[in-house]
Amino acid sequence: MASASSTRSTPSSSHPDDSIAGANTILKSADVWEVTVPVTVKGRYIPGIRQPNHRRRISIEIHSLLPSFEDDSMGPVSSSPAEKKKSARKSEESEICYVRFLYPPGSMESIAGPLLKEAEKIEGFADAVIKKRLLSPFKDEKKETTLQHGARKNNDEGSSVESMLQSMDESNKKELLPFDGWFPRYKISIREFQIEGQKKKELNVSFFHKGRKKEKVLLFETESGAKEFCAIVEKNKKMQDIRSKRRLENALGGIKLESGEELTFLIDICSGTDIPRSDIGKNSDPMVSVWFNGVKIHQTDYIPNTEDPIWTLRRSSVFLWKVPAIDLFKSEDCLMFEVEDFDLGSSSTSLGAFNVSAKTLYHWNGERREFALKSLLGEKDFGKGKVALRVRRATEDDIDFMEKYERSKNKKREVTTLLQLKGGKGTIASVTTVYKKKAKEGPDQGKEIYLVRPGPDPKRKDSTTWLTKEKIEEESIAQSRNWIDIGSGNLGKIFLEIIGCDGLPNMDTGGAFGNKTDAFVSIVHEDCMARTDVIADTLSPRFMPWSQRAFIFNMMRTSSQLFLAVFDSDSNPFSQHDFIGRVSVDLSNFRNNTVYILIYNLYKTAKCEPRRGAAPLGSIKIRLRLELEDERTLLLSNFKLPVSVYVNVESKKDFNVIHKTVVGNVDLKRYGLGNINSYVNELWSYLVVYYFLEDAFVSLLLWRGRSNLTLPVPRIPSFTVQWKHLTFPLHSIAAFLTVISVVENPDLLPSVSFGCIGWLLVATSEKRSKNPNPWIRSKSFGYFLLSLILGKHTTGPQSIEPNENVDAIEANSTSWMKRVKDAEEKANQRAIEYAKEQEEYWSEIESLGDGDISTKAGLFTIDPTRVYLYPVQEWLGIICDILRVVRNVIVWEEPHYSFIIAFGSFILAFVLYFFPWGYLIKWTLRVVAWVIFGPWMMLADKFYFSKLESETDEQKMEREGNLRLARRKQLENQLLEAQIRREKAEKLKDFKQFMFGQFVSKVNITKLDRSFDIPLPESSATPYTPKSLSLGELAMEEAGYRRTRINGQQLVGDMIPTLFETPSTEAPLGKATKKTALLKGGSPGVQIGNDSYVAAAIKVGSIVLSAGAVTWFGIPLLVYFVGFLFPGNGQKL
């Protein structure tokens, strides 16, 4: 062995310790001893065994703390250079002492053979642990240490120093310079290092490394060397408190902690990027372990086979960590995050780690930050990889959620009551139950009476158990008693009541014996779903006002549809509910404070082929009313981009119901030639629009009257006025004036172009408003303009009688169908002619031959078309969706977007009207011509372009390298944005699956149906006239009396998102009620409320007039009295 005397090593230049094994430090000085670390058996050193050359060095090092490691996104710790210098000086004053083991350079040869011969003499050789130690003297047993949240590998001493040196980066190799190339293995805080005993030159020591206690024997050459080592260890231990105090002051950096303060952090391990591989041929299975003071406090699940993992709630990404504030700032290495590659059946491989300082944790407020991975001391450095974190102080809601989450891991989720069906019957019960009989007494004696389903009125059981068909119809129209308030929006409320269905097909067998359809209605709107009770064994179910049939949906978007579907209930848990038909209720053209009785035909889907001639599958009758807060707010909400909305359910059976309610029984996402054919037919149908545009252009060009104008015509003999309807070619006049203006003044072209867009949309709105069917008419441009200016419409509620204009509707429908048929025949005729021309052309080409003389071999494949046609199907679907959106805007099916585009076009047209476009274009071209083609371009060539040609290879490489670096940075930013979007989506999906259910169904916010569901002519609309209530009754109603409030599934926030909660009461803060107009006369608070626009205008006008009168008459009087009392001052005034 070498001399045991200590060597004082003070490096000439400080080298930062960049490896992750404690705080980020700079080595100041070190005392080094050469020792031997012998093989031990059960923790004992046996001198009789011939020892291998376990030559080591052990050093006691004094380090200065560097400013805490931060990632680039966090910016500098100190804002000014002076503060940075002051912080660095304080860090150098803060010292920390480590004990380090050093390995010699060069490889270590295996000595298993000699050890085996010596081991045969030892009693207990059969012990597996002893055998393993003797066979692998340079490796500790791969024993797993169970900690708080999982397992930790302990592969501590590696197989060879050379392999470790090869894997090190340059920053770690600098660490070897003060130690003559010896390799540092452990870096142990003096606090964790203990001398268990000394026997002459033999020392027994122990220390904690990665949460595991290790014991070793150190053999010094001389006893004095061992004593010197012990003395220096004892000296540094005595200085622990002083150094800890300095480190604490440096760590706090001016932060003042309260006595006994405890911090609870919410930590979210978001994702990893470019995680390195440790295995050959496959990606890593990364997981993250979190360490504090050598103890593992958390471990995520592993994500299999990925370079870009995303850890979610159920992958243990989120956890709470409670720590005393003083312990956090006293910690030497604070919080360490280590990424490992999970290996089943063996120890995990470290892929890198990083530290987060106490100050960073203390000030962190939930923003996303990325940290680069660095190698652990003695581990392979992969040189890449990042991990993103979010940290903030935990709130009471966070703590409550995490406690519920931990409790619910092993519990089954309860299904919401809205999905539980009540009222259904099995086959045997249906056959044996009597549903119809003749009344033997009472006012209905001799009449047929029917069993009321799902049950009688709880308040009138005797009189409502059996009713005649007429009385059942009468009862079903009555107002509902109990409402379910559901959803997450705040733009308005939708009051929906399911009245009944007619003409449903029988979906059950045994209809002759009374076993018929057990109907229920499923409703989906935005982020929520609901169901009615089941009405058993009837093809014309009626939902009673005391049953579950009334719902209040809160609106988030104006374009959201109300999806209704009728199903036949099946109580068998292993079978699906039978789908009957569905309907999409468009709410965008319904008016506020109007009660609608709507009847719709039911169809299987609205996504594919048109319904022309298809027989409906029954009908559904509903009552609907909108309660909108503010028309202006409703309109302006469309400036926000629509977000995807999803509904989660727990079972596959419920998912099937939700999916068919929204989409129908056709899945256009699945590959199929039928789906491709449907898309092609839809695209072909849009070509028919050409003939309608041709017709419109001819009408415009030939001044055929298309606009109706009502004018008063005086009648001279009777001195009266008669109103006459005239056909007025308004659009032709406007087109003529526009064209001649543009011809005379080309500068108006940009303004006219935008004006034409608005004009086109207004014209289509006008055409739609003239439709005899009131259910096809849309809100006009003027309606939205007044709503934007005044905040509400002035036309009042809507009123439509049943079968209104039914004859005109039939005639218009027949005429329209004839025009469509004629247009389609024209299109088909042209297609046939084109096909014949192509056939003749290709027949001539084939007769000439293609010049290929090789033999054509047939290829066999199971489905050769899928690989080529499925991408075509996806693109066709995207094109059809875009065309549907464009169509809906043009024909005012999306009236809010149509108005915004039209109004914006008119505004742009007005603004661009004042731009001198000709002048700008003329001078722009002049500047371009003079600058680019002038003689001064010789100077540009001399001072710039010629230098580019004469630049050296190094300059060229530098310039191209800067360009590549800029492009790469831009690409990295784009990839980061994509990673964050994917990360948010995955985490939100996992949260929703945990909170609401595993199965996810997307709900369309934008209207993407091919066909429109229009109410039948039997539908009606009447103004809503609410009943006046007392203050107490109104306050109870607005507070949710007889309403069940259920939140929707809209989540907001990061880390632990929370439900978007709609207020449980409608009354504003500080007021008893909101709708003061509904109060009875004489009730307290009846005068509370906002004035109408007319009353407000009168008040403002009177105030302005009063102020003007006072100014006009009061000021001269005041001047007169001042002059009268103070003559000198009065003259000055």
Side-chain angles (χ1 to χ4, degrees):
M1 289 186 292
S3 173
S5 60
S6 66
T7 302
R8 188 73 173 178
S9 176
T10 304
S12 58
S13 61
S14 298
H15 302 279
D17 190 352
D18 291 334
S19 58
I20 305 297
N24 199 21
T25 62
I26 294 178
L27 178 64
K28 293 180 64 178
S29 63
D31 292 287
V32 184
W33 292 262
E34 290 195 14
V35 297
T36 297
V37 182
V39 175
T40 59
V41 178
K42 290 186 177 179
R44 293 179 299 164
Y45 162 55
I46 302 176
I49 300 181
R50 184 163 56 88
Q51 298 297 327
N53 187 17
H54 274 195
R55 190 164 58 96
R56 303 284 187 269
R57 284 183 180 178
I58 187 167
S59 66
I60 300 177
E61 306 171 5
I62 307 299
H63 289 242
S64 292
L65 287 174
L66 287 174
S68 301
F69 166 76
E70 311 289 352
D71 64 311
D72 295 336
S73 65
M74 293 162 56
V77 178
S78 303
S79 57
S80 65
E83 290 178 353
K84 289 181 182 179
K85 192 174 294 184
K86 183 178 179 182
S87 175
R89 186 168 60 252
K90 284 186 176 181
S91 297
E92 290 178 1
E93 293 173 358
S94 301
E95 295 179 343
I96 186 169
C97 182
Y98 290 110
V99 178
R100 192 180 327 238
F101 285 82
L102 307 172
Y103 283 56
S107 61
M108 302 179 185
E109 299 179 356
S110 175
I111 54 171
L115 281 177
L116 284 175
K117 293 180 181 179
E118 297 289 339
E120 292 176 355
K121 304 175 184 178
I122 301 175
E123 183 179 356
F125 171 75
D127 191 315
V129 176
I130 298 176
K131 184 176 180 180
K132 190 170 186 179
R133 282 187 177 275
L134 293 173
L135 289 173
S136 304
F138 308 110
K139 296 182 182 179
D140 290 346
E141 67 272 19
K142 294 180 180 179
K143 180 180 178 183
E144 293 183 349
T145 303
T146 303
L147 297 168
Q148 183 177 354
H149 290 281
R152 167 69 188 169
K153 59 121 184 169
N154 287 279
N155 184 14
D156 295 321
E157 296 195 11
S159 57
S160 90
V161 175
E162 283 185 348
S163 63
M164 294 181 182
L165 287 171
Q166 291 172 2
S167 67
M168 293 176 63
D169 61 4
E170 292 300 324
S171 62
N172 280 338
K173 288 180 180 178
K174 290 178 182 178
E175 182 71 17
L176 302 181
L177 294 178
F179 308 110
D180 301 326
W182 283 59
F183 178 74
R185 178 58 182 167
Y186 297 114
K187 186 178 180 182
I188 310 146
S189 171
I190 195 70
R191 188 185 299 275
E192 303 293 332
F193 188 84
Q194 302 293 335
I195 298 177
E196 303 292 345
Q198 178 186 1
K199 187 177 180 181
K200 296 184 179 180
K201 61 181 181 180
E202 176 186 335
L203 285 183
N204 294 322
V205 300
S206 65
F207 55 91
F208 283 89
H209 182 71
K210 300 291 182 62
R212 184 184 177 190
K213 185 176 181 180
K214 293 185 173 296
E215 296 180 351
K216 290 188 178 294
V217 175
L218 306 179
L219 296 180
F220 289 77
E221 186 174 276
T222 64
E223 184 177 349
S224 60
K227 289 182 178 180
E228 183 185 9
F229 177 81
C230 294
I232 295 178
V233 168
E234 187 65 24
K235 175 186 174 182
N236 282 285
K237 279 186 173 290
K238 290 180 180 179
M239 297 180 65
Q240 283 184 112
D241 294 338
I242 298 174
R243 287 170 174 163
S244 296
K245 186 176 179 180
R246 290 178 179 173
R247 289 198 305 269
L248 179 61
E249 292 175 355
N250 180 59
L252 288 172
I255 299 173
K256 295 182 179 180
L257 301 178
E258 298 179 3
S259 178
E261 181 180 355
E262 285 192 330
L263 304 174
T264 302
F265 292 102
L266 179 68
I267 301 175
D268 183 9
I269 303 170
C270 302
S271 64
T273 305
D274 201 19
I275 299 298
R277 296 183 180 184
S278 65
D279 300 326
I280 299 175
K282 66 181 289 290
N283 292 323
S284 299
D285 305 324
M287 62 182 183
V288 179
S289 299
V290 187
W291 299 82
F292 180 69
N293 287 343
V295 177
K296 184 185 292 184
I297 61 173
H298 183 74
Q299 179 173 291
T300 67
D301 295 346
Y302 72 91
I303 310 296
N305 194 27
T306 180
E307 291 184 336
D308 302 307
I310 294 177
W311 289 278
T312 58
L313 173 69
R314 291 180 295 173
R315 293 282 192 174
S316 304
S317 70
V318 182
F319 67 98
L320 293 172
W321 180 46
K322 190 173 183 179
V323 61
I326 193 69
D327 291 349
L328 175 67
F329 283 93
K330 279 185 176 180
S331 174
E332 295 172 1
D333 53 358
C334 197
L335 215 55
M336 185 182 79
F337 295 79
E338 182 183 6
V339 181
E340 301 170 282
D341 180 16
F342 174 80
D343 291 314
L344 184 63
S346 62
S347 61
S348 302
T349 306
S350 177
L351 303 176
F354 59 89
N355 289 99
V356 181
S357 69
K359 188 181 294 185
T360 300
L361 290 172
Y362 192 83
H363 292 295
W364 208 334
N365 197 28
E367 61 273 17
R368 184 183 185 274
R369 296 175 178 175
E370 284 191 342
F371 296 85
L373 296 180
K374 296 186 178 182
S375 63
L376 282 169
L377 189 63
E379 300 286 353
K380 181 178 180 180
D381 181 51
F382 294 92
K384 66 175 185 176
K386 293 181 180 180
V387 171
L389 301 180
R390 290 182 186 269
V391 181
R392 62 174 166 83
R393 303 285 181 89
T395 63
E396 293 296 330
D397 291 336
D398 297 333
I399 297 172
D400 183 59
F401 176 86
M402 293 303 296
E403 290 177 351
K404 290 180 180 178
Y405 172 68
E406 293 297 332
R407 290 196 302 267
S408 64
K409 282 183 177 179
N410 299 321
K411 292 183 180 180
K412 187 178 180 180
R413 185 184 291 103
E414 296 181 359
V415 180
T416 176
T417 55
L418 291 183
L419 299 183
Q420 294 175 342
L421 296 174
K422 296 178 290 183
K425 291 187 177 182
T427 304
I428 298 176
S430 298
V431 173
T432 57
T433 302
V434 177
Y435 292 109
K436 181 174 67 172
K437 66 180 182 180
K438 285 198 174 184
K440 297 180 179 179
E441 57 184 13
D444 299 324
Q445 185 176 0
K447 296 181 179 179
E448 285 189 345
I449 55 177
Y450 298 84
L451 181 66
V452 176
R453 288 154 279 182
D457 185 356
K459 298 180 179 180
R460 301 175 295 151
K461 286 187 177 181
D462 294 337
S463 60
T464 57
T465 301
W466 292 86
L467 293 174
T468 62
K469 186 177 292 186
E470 291 77 11
K471 288 186 178 180
I472 289 176
E473 192 72 30
E474 182 181 345
E475 288 283 351
S476 67
I477 294 295
Q479 292 293 326
S480 298
R481 296 181 185 174
N482 302 304
W483 294 79
I484 296 176
D485 190 355
I486 182 172
S488 304
N490 54 10
L491 293 179
K493 294 181 180 293
I494 306 165
F495 292 80
L496 173 69
E497 297 171 86
I498 308 298
I499 305 299
C501 301
D502 287 300
L504 299 180
N506 188 14
M507 309 298 290
D508 293 335
T509 57
F513 301 98
N515 186 25
K516 298 180 181 179
T517 297
D518 303 325
F520 72 91
V521 179
S522 169
I523 308 108
V524 177
H525 179 259
E526 294 180 340
D527 65 334
C528 51
M529 84 295 284
R531 293 180 188 173
T532 64
D533 288 339
V534 178
I535 308 301
D537 300 314
T538 178
L539 304 182
S540 299
R542 292 295 181 269
F543 300 88
M544 295 293 107
W546 53 83
S547 66
Q548 182 172 296
R549 73 163 194 179
F551 309 94
I552 304 173
F553 294 96
N554 295 272
M555 297 174 59
M556 288 191 298
R557 302 288 303 180
T558 59
S559 58
S560 298
Q561 294 171 288
L562 198 62
F563 300 102
L564 310 176
V566 182
F567 290 83
D568 173 31
S569 175
D570 195 331
S571 57
N572 185 353
F574 301 103
S575 61
Q576 303 291 337
H577 299 300
D578 296 324
F579 174 62
I580 297 176
R582 64 172 296 282
V583 65
S584 303
V585 180
D586 183 12
L587 305 170
S588 55
N589 283 310
F590 289 153
R591 303 288 180 88
N592 193 21
N593 293 326
T594 303
V595 178
Y596 295 93
I597 303 293
L598 304 172
I599 304 173
Y600 289 92
N601 282 331
L602 297 172
Y603 294 94
K604 288 291 186 182
T605 185
K607 292 291 184 184
C608 49
E609 297 294 337
R611 298 167 177 174
R612 200 181 315 147
L617 301 167
S619 63
I620 184 171
K621 183 178 182 180
I622 63 175
R623 180 161 53 212
L624 185 140
R625 176 171 64 88
L626 296 184
E627 190 175 281
L628 306 177
E629 296 293 333
D630 185 2
E631 294 275 357
R632 184 192 293 117
T633 304
L634 201 70
L635 179 61
L636 296 179
S637 68
N638 291 276
F639 284 97
K640 298 179 182 178
L641 292 175
V643 295
S644 299
V645 176
Y646 301 89
V647 172
N648 291 57
V649 289
E650 182 63 27
S651 68
K652 184 74 173 180
K653 193 171 186 176
D654 293 332
F655 169 77
N656 182 63
V657 170
I658 301 299
H659 182 72
K660 289 186 176 179
T661 300
V662 176
V663 178
N665 66 341
V666 175
D667 188 1
L668 294 176
K669 300 296 182 182
R670 182 177 298 176
Y671 169 72
L673 294 178
N675 292 340
I676 296 177
N677 185 58
S678 175
Y679 284 136
V680 171
N681 289 338
E682 181 177 355
L683 293 175
W684 184 257
S685 68
Y686 289 128
L687 297 178
V688 179
V689 176
Y690 167 77
Y691 298 101
F692 299 115
L693 293 177
E694 182 182 15
D695 182 36
F697 181 75
V698 170
S699 300
L700 184 72
L701 192 63
L702 300 180
W703 286 61
R704 296 175 180 173
R706 292 296 177 184
S707 299
N708 294 326
L709 188 64
T710 304
L711 297 175
V713 179
R715 303 181 66 179
I716 303 301
S718 58
F719 297 100
T720 58
V721 175
Q722 181 180 7
W723 293 87
K724 287 193 175 182
H725 299 283
L726 303 177
T727 301
F728 196 73
L730 178 63
H731 297 295
S732 298
I733 295 174
F736 173 68
L737 295 177
T738 301
V739 170
I740 61 175
S741 299
V742 172
V743 170
E744 297 297 330
N745 191 357
D747 290 354
L748 298 179
L749 183 59
S751 175
V752 168
S753 299
F754 283 101
C756 288
I757 296 174
W759 178 29
L760 173 64
L761 291 173
V762 171
T764 54
S765 173
E766 179 189 359
K767 179 175 178 59
R768 184 164 177 170
S769 65
K770 294 176 182 178
N771 196 295
N773 190 343
W775 301 109
I776 294 181
R777 300 169 191 166
S778 67
K779 295 176 181 176
S780 65
F781 180 86
Y783 176 95
F784 287 110
L785 186 60
L786 289 176
S787 299
L788 181 63
I789 297 172
L790 302 178
K792 64 178 182 179
H793 63 86
T794 58
T795 56
Q798 204 169 8
S799 181
I800 302 174
E801 295 294 329
N803 297 312
E804 183 177 312
N805 300 333
V806 64
D807 295 333
I809 292 172
E810 184 66 26
N812 183 73
S813 177
T814 303
S815 174
W816 176 258
M817 293 299 295
K818 184 178 182 302
R819 291 183 65 188
V820 171
K821 186 177 180 180
D822 293 342
E824 288 180 345
E825 288 179 354
K826 286 183 180 180
N828 290 332
Q829 184 63 32
R830 289 195 177 184
I832 292 171
E833 294 175 358
Y834 178 76
K836 286 182 178 180
E837 293 174 358
Q838 290 296 311
E839 184 179 1
E840 293 176 359
Y841 170 76
W842 285 109
S843 63
E844 293 179 3
I845 292 296
E846 289 177 0
S847 64
L848 296 175
D850 58 1
D852 187 0
I853 61 174
S854 62
T855 303
K856 305 299 187 293
L859 297 176
F860 173 78
T861 179
I862 296 176
D863 188 1
T865 62
R866 180 184 178 87
V867 177
Y868 304 101
L869 293 184
Y870 185 59
V872 174
Q873 176 182 322
E874 290 183 323
W875 277 107
L876 287 175
I878 294 173
I879 293 171
C880 286
D881 286 344
I882 294 173
L883 290 176
R884 289 173 186 176
V885 171
V886 174
R887 175 202 63 184
N888 292 340
V889 171
I890 292 176
V891 302
W892 288 71
E893 279 295 326
E894 293 278 12
H896 296 87
Y897 292 119
S898 302
F899 169 77
I900 290 172
I901 294 174
F903 185 71
S905 299
F906 287 138
I907 293 295
L908 285 173
F910 177 77
V911 172
L912 296 177
Y913 176 82
F914 298 97
F915 270 72
W917 291 102
Y919 180 81
L920 292 176
I921 293 172
K922 180 179 179 180
W923 274 99
T924 301
L925 294 176
R926 279 181 177 176
V927 170
V928 170
W930 279 85
V931 169
I932 294 179
F933 296 98
W936 36 82
M937 290 301 293
M938 291 188 294
L939 299 176
D941 180 45
K942 180 178 179 181
F943 292 104
Y944 182 75
F945 292 101
S946 59
K947 289 184 178 181
L948 289 179
E949 295 176 357
S950 61
E951 66 180 354
T952 63
D953 293 340
E954 290 79 6
Q955 292 174 336
K956 184 177 181 181
M957 290 177 63
E958 182 181 359
R959 180 172 54 82
E960 292 178 352
N962 292 333
L963 291 175
R964 284 195 299 269
L965 187 63
R967 289 195 298 267
R968 182 177 179 181
K969 189 174 182 180
Q970 184 180 6
L971 178 61
E972 287 178 350
N973 292 334
Q974 294 173 353
L975 292 176
L976 177 61
E977 292 176 1
Q979 172 76 358
I980 293 174
R981 286 196 301 269
R982 175 171 163 261
E983 178 185 302
K984 288 183 176 180
E986 288 290 332
K987 285 181 172 290
L988 182 62
K989 177 182 178 180
D990 193 72
F991 263 96
K992 294 198 69 174
Q993 286 180 331
F994 164 71
M995 298 177 69
F996 308 114
Q998 295 292 324
F999 298 93
V1000 187
S1001 182
K1002 185 175 182 179
V1003 180
N1004 293 329
I1005 294 297
T1006 306
K1007 298 171 189 172
L1008 295 175
D1009 289 341
R1010 181 176 177 182
S1011 303
F1012 303 130
D1013 291 302
I1014 301 172
L1016 299 179
E1018 295 85 354
S1019 304
S1020 64
T1022 56
Y1024 174 62
T1025 53
K1027 183 175 66 173
S1028 297
L1029 302 173
S1030 65
L1031 179 62
E1033 292 172 334
L1034 183 58
M1036 289 179 65
E1037 181 179 295
E1038 291 182 352
Y1041 177 62
R1042 292 189 304 181
R1043 294 182 186 178
T1044 303
R1045 173 63 192 159
I1046 299 177
N1047 289 317
Q1049 296 187 5
Q1050 187 73 7
L1051 298 178
V1052 294
D1054 294 321
M1055 299 183 70
I1056 296 183
T1058 56
L1059 284 172
F1060 181 92
E1061 295 187 1
T1062 302
S1064 57
T1065 179
E1066 299 180 29
L1069 186 64
K1071 291 187 178 182
T1073 62
K1074 176 183 179 182
K1075 306 170 187 174
T1076 55
L1078 301 182
L1079 290 173
K1080 292 180 179 178
S1083 297
V1086 71
Q1087 298 298 327
I1088 299 175
N1090 296 326
D1091 293 324
S1092 64
Y1093 284 95
V1094 176
I1098 293 174
K1099 286 184 178 180
V1100 172
S1102 62
I1103 292 172
V1104 172
L1105 290 176
S1106 301
V1110 170
T1111 304
W1112 183 264
F1113 296 104
I1115 295 300
L1117 286 174
L1118 180 62
V1119 172
Y1120 174 77
F1121 281 113
V1122 170
F1124 179 77
L1125 296 174
F1126 307 99
N1129 295 333
Q1131 290 179 0
K1132 291 179 181 179
L1133 289 173

